[in-house]
Amino acid sequence: SNQVDQDSQGWVMGITGSIMAFSFGLNGLLVGLTTNLDVRIPLMITVVGLILSAFLMVVTFKGK
């Protein structure tokens, strides 16, 4: 909230909260759907996401 002016802080925090709530709801739906296929799929997706995020961090902050 310190990245915007005082008048826009409430708006930015509200939008951020709305996006987080949507993400949590979507996450629950997707985990439920993928678990119906196989119980291990959500864990596999998590591992792939962690490896991808570690790779992106190494590439992004390599020269810094």
Side-chain angles (χ1 to χ4, degrees):
S1 64
N2 290 332
Q3 300 297 322
V4 296
D5 61 290
Q6 188 105 8
D7 295 331
S8 300
Q9 285 183 354
W11 181 81
V12 169
M13 291 179 71
I15 293 296
T16 303
S18 298
I19 292 170
M20 286 178 54
F22 177 74
S23 298
F24 280 118
L26 187 63
N27 183 41
L29 288 173
L30 291 176
V31 168
L33 290 173
T34 57
T35 303
N36 282 334
L37 299 174
D38 190 352
V39 176
R40 295 171 289 193
I41 291 177
L43 290 174
M44 289 184 226
I45 293 171
T46 302
V47 169
V48 169
L50 286 171
I51 292 170
L52 181 63
S53 65
F55 173 74
L56 289 173
M57 283 180 57
V58 168
V59 170
T60 302
F61 297 111
K62 186 177 183 180
K64 296 180 181 178

